[in-house]
Amino acid sequence: MAMTLQNKDADGDRFRLPHRQDLAPKKGAKSLNVGIIGAGIAGLTAAIAMSQSGHDVEIFERSEFKSEIGAAISCPPNSFRILQFYGIDVASARGGEYKSAVYYDSKEPETKDYLEFSGYRSRYKAPWAFFHRVDLHNELRRLAVQPPDGDRKPAKLRLSSSVKDVQLDGTIVFQDGRTIKKDLVIAADGIRSAFLSQVVGHDVYPEHYMSMIRFLIPSDEFLNLPEARCHFERGMTSLNIVKGGDKSIVFYPCREGTLLNVGVLTPPEVCKSADGDDLPLTQDLIDNATKDFHSVYNGLYRLKDTFGQWKLFRRAPLSTLAKGKIVLIGDAAHPMPPLRAQGAAAAIEDAAALGVLFSDLESANEVPGRLEAFNKLRVRRVGGTQVLSSLHEWDPLKLPQEHTKYFDGKVPYTHQEIDDWFYDYNLITKALEVLQECQTSKEPN
Ligand SMILES: Cc1cc2nc3c(=O)[nH]c(=O)nc-3n(C[C@H](O)[C@H](O)[C@H](O)COP(=O)(O)OP(=O)(O)OC[C@H]3O[C@@H](n4cnc5c(N)ncnc54)[C@H](O)[C@@H]3O)c2cc1C
């Protein structure tokens, strides 16, 4: 029976959501056995969302989660709203909130431009939050495997479980030869997804678009530098961007402002030899990447002795995200450079889309129809997100014609139009609408 939309009040408040318990299964509803490959942000959020809708979830993660992953991550309003819906505890994840983006001159540490974010709460009913990745990951893991009492079934997390193959009938084959069959397999295995070609029918290769040298430093150490005092004058709540030709240094706080995440963005050639081979991350390479910046910025890395180097990829959007009983989400489905901080945000949207679209299920025979609904909801949206995130200098006039199809009407151009395109989007509401259409079309006339 079609679920009634409860998310719009009389005034049409587009951000009003049902309570997440409204997605809990009704009496006699069908519980699927769901296998999730990968326990990154996509896999863990999908586990939370699918458990909330009453399914039995098992997550297979090849690593043992012994080492820390990455540095900081920011959650723009479109993804924060979803995390809040599923009950994230921002305090225990030690999250903070951006109030502004500040642009600095690469030669002189003085403000060039200032973009106010504090209006996001009233405009989009959600802040732009930031976290240490490890804290966010731990919180998602807690919500997935130890949900608050009575909230939903806990998902089972199987570490050191490397998946070798997945078949369209839902069979998962592990490296050690074991197999298991699921009603639905969610492939959340990241940018090097081994299961992508199974869904799209051919190999798809990402393009190395930019590189990033990244590290964390204690905020105090930076603020103690005399020339650094002009930064964070309004508190540890800004995203700071220093542009220097084809390179930029981006730094922002995390873990309640105690740490600074610093990223040096460069064209890929900076991190390659003349023969095109990847260069190891040495002092020379860092000097070369930062030499055109004022000493307060290129000196940031002197406050640190270990660094990470990331390749940032872009890839053409896919025309389908699901086949048989397999669905791709997160970076497996849509890798993109972090130019608009939307990679994990889109993964969180995917996860919630699955949670809503697989709620209120009467039989496993409905899986193909619900996956079709997922494609309908997500293919264009993630295509647009990838396109908007894949150009360092955004100019819609340079957009290839085939990419305009991801946008209804005018392609967003100004800051405001782009913000609205990303943050006005209320995934849970949209998914409920698509679910309702899907259920109505199934009902006998
Ligand atoms: C420098 C940088 C900065 C970024 N900043 C932001 C930001 O501010 N905001 C934002 O929204 N996004 C940001 N992103 C993007 C974001 O980090 C990614 O989009 C997101 O983490 C992808 O999550 P995922 O779960 O899809 O993939 P992953 O995090 O890659 O997780 C995949 C998981 O699958 C496991 N796995 C892989 N293969 C197998 C297998 N065969 N069997 C079992 N397990 C397997 C892996 O071990 C891993 O745990 C940034 C990315 C980079 C590189």
Side-chain angles (χ1 to χ4, degrees):
M1 192 215 288
M3 185 192 264
T4 315
L5 282 181
Q6 298 169 31
N7 54 315
K8 284 185 181 163
D9 64 10
D11 302 327
D13 178 353
R14 63 200 190 288
F15 294 119
R16 180 130 177 251
L17 294 174
H19 191 275
R20 63 175 177 276
Q21 286 299 355
D22 292 356
L23 296 178
K26 315 281 174 297
K27 201 163 173 239
K30 171 73 185 165
S31 274
L32 298 177
N33 285 313
V34 178
I36 299 180
I37 307 171
I41 291 173
L44 288 175
T45 315
I48 297 165
M50 292 303 277
S51 308
Q52 186 67 56
S53 298
H55 304 296
D56 294 302
V57 176
E58 217 172 349
I59 315 165
F60 304 107
E61 166 58 48
R62 70 176 168 199
S63 76
E64 292 176 61
F65 280 161
K66 278 194 176 143
S67 56
E68 288 216 336
I69 41 161
I73 189 150
S74 65
C75 284
N78 55 318
S79 55
F80 185 83
R81 217 181 284 124
I82 295 170
L83 294 179
Q84 211 167 25
F85 177 78
Y86 283 109
I88 189 174
D89 181 343
V90 178
S92 80
R94 304 185 66 184
E97 180 178 339
Y98 288 136
K99 300 273 170 65
S100 58
V102 190
Y103 293 82
Y104 293 94
D105 192 288
S106 62
K107 303 288 180 201
E108 285 301 323
E110 57 191 39
T111 310
K112 265 173 56 181
D113 208 356
Y114 190 87
L115 211 64
E116 190 63 51
F117 286 175
S118 54
Y120 282 5
R121 270 188 184 272
S122 55
R123 191 174 176 97
Y124 305 116
K125 297 285 182 284
W128 185 327
F130 51 80
F131 299 92
H132 192 297
R133 269 174 193 261
V134 174
D135 300 337
L136 178 61
H137 197 262
N138 285 343
E139 174 63 3
L140 292 176
R141 184 173 168 173
R142 180 186 73 81
L143 288 174
V145 302
Q146 293 171 315
D149 278 349
D151 216 16
R152 55 186 166 257
K153 295 183 215 176
K156 298 185 183 85
L157 175 59
R158 313 285 186 210
L159 297 177
S160 307
S161 296
S162 186
V163 174
K164 188 167 96 185
D165 190 21
V166 183
Q167 288 154 18
L168 294 177
D169 68 354
T171 304
I172 297 175
V173 183
F174 295 93
Q175 290 293 350
D176 61 11
R178 279 179 307 124
T179 62
I180 191 169
K181 196 164 177 195
K182 296 286 181 183
D183 299 315
L184 177 68
V185 179
I186 301 175
D189 57 329
I191 190 162
R192 292 178 212 289
S193 175
F195 315 114
L196 169 65
S197 58
Q198 182 75 304
V199 171
V200 298
H202 52 86
D203 289 326
V204 190
Y205 299 101
E207 171 199 355
H208 181 185
Y209 181 56
M210 301 173 95
S211 290
M212 186 182 260
I213 300 164
R214 207 156 66 133
F215 50 96
L216 285 168
I217 53 174
S219 304
D220 287 353
E221 290 188 23
F222 175 68
L223 292 172
N224 284 339
L225 300 173
E227 287 163 310
R229 296 222 175 99
C230 62
H231 302 85
F232 299 111
E233 279 175 331
R234 302 184 194 195
M236 299 303 288
T237 54
S238 61
L239 171 69
N240 304 279
I241 300 146
V242 192
K243 286 204 166 200
D246 57 1
K247 305 182 189 74
S248 343
I249 295 182
V250 180
F251 56 103
Y252 58 90
C254 66
R255 202 165 269 169
E256 295 164 337
T258 56
L259 293 172
L260 271 189
N261 176 84
V262 185
V264 184
L265 263 172
T266 72
E269 308 80 73
V270 175
C271 298
K272 285 182 183 289
S273 70
D275 299 332
D277 296 328
D278 292 335
L279 290 171
L281 188 55
T282 58
Q283 194 65 49
D284 278 355
L285 194 148
I286 298 172
D287 285 342
N288 187 30
T290 58
K291 66 178 188 295
D292 296 331
F293 291 83
H294 185 276
S295 60
V296 72
Y297 302 122
N298 70 23
L300 276 166
Y301 68 84
R302 288 186 217 289
L303 300 172
K304 180 79 186 170
D305 49 16
T306 51
F307 306 93
Q309 190 180 11
W310 271 261
K311 283 183 180 173
L312 307 178
F313 293 96
R314 60 181 184 180
R315 199 177 73 191
L318 302 177
S319 54
T320 183
L321 300 169
K323 187 171 179 189
K325 293 186 176 170
I326 312 173
V327 57
L328 298 165
I329 66 166
D331 276 8
H334 41 66
M336 63 190 87
L339 297 173
R340 301 200 187 273
Q342 282 292 326
I348 291 166
E349 284 188 352
D350 294 338
L354 286 174
V356 174
L357 293 173
F358 280 87
S359 62
D360 207 13
L361 205 69
E362 288 166 10
S363 131
N365 294 335
E366 289 173 78
V367 169
R370 300 294 173 101
L371 286 179
E372 210 177 291
F374 181 79
N375 266 331
K376 180 174 178 192
L377 180 66
R378 295 303 290 157
V379 168
R380 284 185 72 231
R381 175 76 193 169
V382 297
T385 303
Q386 282 178 283
V387 166
L388 275 164
S389 300
S390 297
L391 275 183
H392 200 219
E393 299 295 338
W394 176 245
D395 181 355
L397 298 176
K398 291 192 185 144
L399 205 60
Q401 187 58 33
E402 77 260 25
H403 284 171
T404 56
K405 69 176 179 226
Y406 298 114
F407 305 95
D408 291 321
K410 186 173 177 275
V411 177
Y413 181 48
T414 61
H415 264 307
Q416 190 62 65
E417 287 168 355
I418 294 170
D419 276 5
D420 285 349
W421 193 86
F422 280 119
Y423 315 141
D424 237 5
Y425 187 80
N426 191 352
L427 182 280
I428 306 255
T429 309
K430 300 275 182 208
L432 283 165
E433 285 167 4
V434 172
L435 174 64
Q436 196 168 43
E437 278 169 33
C438 174
Q439 291 178 313
T440 311
S441 68
K442 198 185 89 179
E443 280 171 8
N445 290 325

